[in-house]
Amino acid sequence: MRVIWFLINLVLSISVCSIPIIAVGLFDKEKYYTGKLIKMWARWVIWSTGIQYEIDGLDNLNLDKQYIFMSNHESALDIVLGVAAIPSNLVFLAKKELFRVPVFGWAMEAAGMIKIDRQNPEIARKSVSEAVETLMHSSFSTLIYPEGTRSNGEELLPFKKGGFILAIRTQLPVVPITILGAGNVLPKGTLAIKKSHIKIIIDAPLETQGMELKNKEILMQDCRNIINQNLVHANAGQKANYELYSA
């Protein structure tokens, strides 16, 4: 029943929110008001799942600054969780195919989402350059999942370099985001939603001012280490609790 309720609300929320996003987005250059509408949509979707979440580290953010947020990715819920939990005005880098979906794709375009074409390396580089221009001439932040796909929740997948190249070229700080527990609520490859608690950790920004592209590997590894450390600590805590209550 929870899955059916979730799917009904997902379709309904997209239908209801897309129209005002399209209408407002035509005049909302900085995507401030469309950003508010997208957050409303994300919180509606989360409410429909019945899950609860907490946020740790909001004091690490200056809401007057732009950031590139980098998050781990275990569940299809990660996107709505990121939108709902991060107080900054956000746009996403999204596959160009999504923009072809009627209504939903139009809303993405109106909300300022940035098209990424992964057909070949040359086109992909051009997409990154366009994303650089968009971010450098705006005030909004972006949220990226550098693993590129959902993991099984046991360990982080290797990070892709594109987001870190974007961060260095724009000279925007990178903020590591760790989502704990989303993989248990809605695991990869299933629609079975389990009512549970999720924690989102926002770590201190990693500065990129003065960095050159040759430093992208260092920046990527620093970000990955922070997220991985949070995951390791969380998994160790779960194991300790299991052993305590099993004794």
Side-chain angles (χ1 to χ4, degrees), residues 49-64:
T49 66
I51 63 175
Q52 300 292 323
Y53 66 92
E54 64 173 305
I55 310 166
D56 184 22
L58 283 172
D59 55 339
N60 285 319
L61 300 179
N62 178 348
L63 298 185
D64 294 325

Side-chain angles (χ1 to χ4, degrees), residues 21 54 66-67 72 81 86 88 93 96 132-133 159 169 182 184 187 194 206 214 234:
I21 287 172
E54 64 173 305
Q66 275 181 283
Y67 298 104
N72 62 312
L81 283 164
I86 297 170
S88 301
L93 277 63
K96 68 171 188 176
V132 169
E133 287 298 311
F159 278 12
R169 288 185 60 183
N184 296 327
K194 302 175 183 176
L206 301 172
K214 64 183 180 182

Side-chain angles (χ1 to χ4, degrees), residues 3-236:
V3 173
I4 296 172
W5 175 250
F6 165 70
L7 292 175
I8 290 172
N9 277 275
L10 180 63
V11 173
L12 185 60
S13 64
I14 291 174
S15 302
V16 169
C17 294
S18 290
I19 302 304
I21 287 172
I22 293 169
V24 173
L26 294 173
F27 311 98
D28 186 15
K29 184 178 178 181
E30 290 299 326
K31 306 307 174 187
Y32 175 80
Y33 296 104
T34 52
K36 296 291 186 185
L37 289 167
I38 290 168
K39 287 186 184 297
M40 182 182 76
W41 165 76
R43 288 167 182 150
W44 182 348
V45 173
I46 293 171
W47 167 80
S48 72
T49 66
I51 63 175
Q52 300 292 323
Y53 66 92
E54 64 173 305
I55 310 166
D56 184 22
L58 283 172
D59 55 339
N60 285 319
L61 300 179
N62 178 348
L63 298 185
D64 294 325
K65 292 187 67 173
Q66 275 181 283
Y67 298 104
I68 294 183
F69 296 94
M70 299 282 188
S71 175
N72 62 312
H73 194 17
E74 296 181 3
S75 169
L77 291 175
D78 291 337
I79 294 173
V80 290
L81 283 164
V83 172
I86 297 170
S88 301
N89 193 17
L90 294 173
V91 299
F92 285 89
L93 277 63
K95 293 185 291 186
K96 68 171 188 176
E97 291 78 11
L98 292 175
F99 289 82
R100 297 173 184 164
V101 179
V103 183
F104 179 73
W106 305 338
M108 288 180 63
E109 185 97 41
M113 303 303 168
I114 302 170
K115 292 181 185 178
I116 294 293
D117 192 328
R118 299 176 181 174
Q119 286 184 352
N120 62 56
E122 184 177 345
I123 296 176
R125 282 193 293 270
K126 184 180 178 182
S127 296
V128 171
S129 294
E130 290 172 355
V132 169
E133 287 298 311
T134 299
L135 288 171
M136 289 184 71
H137 294 90
S138 68
S139 61
F140 43 71
S141 299
T142 189
L143 173 58
I144 296 173
Y145 298 90
E147 292 170 280
T149 188
R150 284 170 287 169
S151 70
N152 59 14
E154 294 179 2
E155 60 181 25
L156 280 176
L157 298 175
F159 278 12
K160 298 184 183 299
K161 301 174 187 177
F164 300 95
I165 292 173
L166 182 65
I168 292 174
R169 288 185 60 183
T170 56
Q171 297 286 280
L172 292 176
V174 169
V175 180
I177 301 286
T178 312
I179 301 177
L180 303 173
N184 296 327
V185 173
L186 183 60
K188 182 179 180 179
T190 180
L191 284 175
I193 298 175
K194 302 175 183 176
K195 195 172 182 179
S196 186
H197 186 81
I198 292 173
K199 184 174 184 179
I200 300 163
I201 301 173
I202 302 174
D203 275 286
L206 301 172
E207 293 297 336
T208 60
Q209 284 291 331
M211 270 194 177
E212 299 177 359
L213 284 178
K214 64 183 180 182
N215 303 125
K216 63 182 179 293
E217 300 279 356
I218 296 172
L219 178 63
M220 181 173 69
Q221 197 58 50
D222 286 347
C223 180
R224 192 178 190 280
N225 286 343
I226 290 169
I227 295 173
N228 191 58
Q229 188 176 42
N230 289 334
L231 292 171
V232 168
H233 286 169
N235 290 335

